Amino acid sequence: MSDKSEDTFCEKMRKATKKIHSISDALVNAKLAFGFLDDSVWADGLLVFYEIFRYLEGAMFRLSTTKIGLFPLEKLQRTKAFELDLEFYLGKGWIKNYSPRDSVIKYLMRLREIEDTDPTLLAAYIYHLYMGLLSGGIILHKKKLLMQKMLPYKKIQTSGNNITDFGNISIFELKQNMRDTMNKIAEMLDEDTKNKLIEESKIVFALNNEIIKSVRGTGTVLFKKILYFGTVFMLILFVFLVLFK
């Protein structure tokens, strides 16, 4: 008989959210990938997640004496990084004219409700949001830099990348620390609470999907992309016709 070890709690969450997580990945690729071509789309993507990370970091501080306090807040803090990047893309006075959109307000209301009634469930948001940043967010940033190198008219961006810059901290070790912490928290919970955490994980991705859908400017970028590649195609066709007529 095979001695197959039982799945960790993180693995159970991954399996339970696999379907809706795939939808999130598709939305990110369809929406935020336009940020490779237009900084305004990238900035709007940062803007919709800014309030969420800011709230979670505040909650981790407020709940530092609870199970939530086991997450390494001092290594995870991204609020200032978001603000620096948004200042770079939107200008120093961006926050004066800023107000969260409806999808973000709905998200924040859910977070406040959980913190007031069952704060342990915030662990689902902390885990998935920061693991998403440490994985998909960093990959998106690398793709953005690669696209800038490939496109002749796009200047390579060396600033505005603070949210994916963790300095000398190992991303691999930080992700492993997140998994270990989440599994450790789960070990202290009863089955009912663990099941609630898994169900809340699905809500995390559903709320993420709503704010990702609200990212603005992708239609304009799509038009520019079609125009650019259409122009390149016509030039190639013209050269071909001249050379081989």
Side-chain angles (χ1 to χ4, degrees), residues 30-169:
K31 282 277 189 175
L32 298 188
F34 285 115
F36 301 161
L37 299 171
D38 192 319
D39 287 342
S40 67
V41 178
W42 187 262
D44 207 53
L46 295 176
L47 199 60
V48 296
F49 279 103
Y50 163 65
E51 291 282 4
I52 311 306
F53 278 86
R54 188 164 79 104
Y55 186 94
L56 290 176
E57 289 177 11
M60 280 190 274
F61 177 78
R62 290 188 295 273
L63 301 169
S64 59
T65 59
T66 69
K67 298 179 183 69
I68 298 300
L70 294 175
F71 286 106
L73 175 59
E74 70 285 353
K75 295 179 180 179
L76 293 173
Q77 288 182 344
R78 295 290 92 189
T79 299
K80 185 61 177 178
F82 266 98
E83 291 171 352
L84 287 172
D85 286 351
L86 287 167
E87 182 177 303
F88 174 79
Y89 289 113
L90 303 178
K92 289 187 176 181
W94 70 272
I95 202 163
K96 294 178 182 178
N97 301 314
Y98 164 71
S99 58
R101 61 200 66 176
D102 290 345
S103 57
V104 174
I105 292 172
K106 178 181 176 181
Y107 204 133
L108 293 172
M109 287 174 64
R110 179 65 180 178
L111 295 178
R112 292 186 185 112
E113 178 188 357
I114 290 173
E115 185 175 357
D116 290 341
T117 59
D118 196 355
T120 300
L121 296 184
L122 284 177
Y125 292 85
I126 295 167
Y127 177 77
H128 291 300
L129 266 295
Y130 284 93
M131 286 296 284
L133 176 61
L134 292 167
S135 299
I138 288 176
I139 290 172
L140 274 176
H141 170 238
K142 289 179 178 178
K143 286 182 178 179
K144 184 172 184 280
L145 291 179
L146 180 62
M147 183 64 74
Q148 289 172 350
K149 291 178 182 178
M150 292 174 62
L151 295 176
Y153 66 88
K154 189 71 176 175
K155 183 180 179 181
I156 296 176
Q157 198 74 285
T158 56
S159 302
N161 306 313
N162 291 284
I163 64 159
T164 54
D165 183 2
F166 286 82
N168 296 324
I169 301 174

Side-chain angles (χ1 to χ4, degrees), residues 5-18 127 179 182-183 198:
S5 59
E6 186 179 352
D7 286 341
T8 64
F9 185 72
C10 288
E11 185 65 17
K12 289 178 180 177
M13 285 199 301
R14 186 191 68 80
K15 290 180 178 179
T17 59
K18 185 176 181 180
Y127 177 77
R179 294 189 192 97
M182 189 68 251
N183 288 327
I198 289 175

